[in-house]
Amino acid sequence: MTIKVGDEFPEVQLKYVPYDAAAPNACKGPQLLDTKKAFSGKKVVLIGVPGAFSPTCSVQHIPPYVAKADELKAKGVDLIVCVSGNDFFVMEAWGKQEKVANKILMAGDANGDLGRATGLSIDLSNAGLGAVRLTRFVAIIDNGKVAHLAVEPDPTEVTVTGADKTLSAL
């Protein structure tokens, strides 16, 4: 069953590699992101994408979030997380390419746990990307509850999940 507005966001263990401004090209060890703990008492924008480095994700979806991260935070957002079905090292490399720095936490859901727990997974095996990927979505999570959820009807497009639409929803 797919999560909906008003639902408690499920507890999932994601991993990420923290950004280090003192050593931006270093590869640090992964850290755990427990959604229950990390989202408690915070307003979070969670951006779900099918794959790092993919054309839609890299050109249309993530760059506007990087550019508007300060605007999102000015509207009360404490944490911006981008998650994909890739591993945390791939997400770290993609974040470096997109010049995310510390604006967005780039997390991996390589096992598909988040997709299964939220019902926001998609089978992209016909495209050669695997059977358990995240569909393209954005959720605003306020103190652990889903306050807004937008899911793209076509995950190859960005029509309802872009940064401007998210800013309007805050």
Side-chain angles (χ1 to χ4, degrees), residues 13-17 30-33 87-88 91 105-109:
Q13 310 294 314
L14 303 172
K15 289 192 177 176
Y16 70 99
V17 177
Q31 301 292 312
L32 186 67
L33 177 72
D87 69 66
F88 46 85
M91 292 301 288
L105 190 151
M106 304 295 279
D109 183 35

Side-chain angles (χ1 to χ4, degrees), residues 78-97:
D78 299 297
L79 181 63
I80 305 168
V81 179
C82 176
V83 63
S84 175
N86 299 99
D87 69 66
F88 46 85
F89 288 125
V90 169
M91 292 301 288
E92 178 199 26
W94 186 38
K96 287 177 180 177
Q97 176 184 297

Side-chain angles (χ1 to χ4, degrees), residues 48-125:
V49 298
F53 295 104
S54 65
T56 303
C57 301
S58 294
V59 176
Q60 297 175 36
H61 209 185
I62 297 308
Y65 276 99
V66 175
K68 296 182 182 227
D70 291 337
E71 290 178 56
L72 289 161
K73 291 183 179 179
K75 285 199 163 199
V77 173
D78 299 297
L79 181 63
I80 305 168
V81 179
C82 176
V83 63
S84 175
N86 299 99
D87 69 66
F88 46 85
F89 288 125
V90 169
M91 292 301 288
E92 178 199 26
W94 186 38
K96 287 177 180 177
Q97 176 184 297
E98 296 299 322
K99 299 179 179 30
V100 167
N102 61 357
K103 295 179 181 181
I104 301 174
L105 190 151
M106 304 295 279
D109 183 35
N111 294 331
D113 297 335
L114 181 68
R116 280 189 292 278
T118 60
L120 295 169
S121 63
I122 187 171
D123 183 346
L124 293 176
S125 55

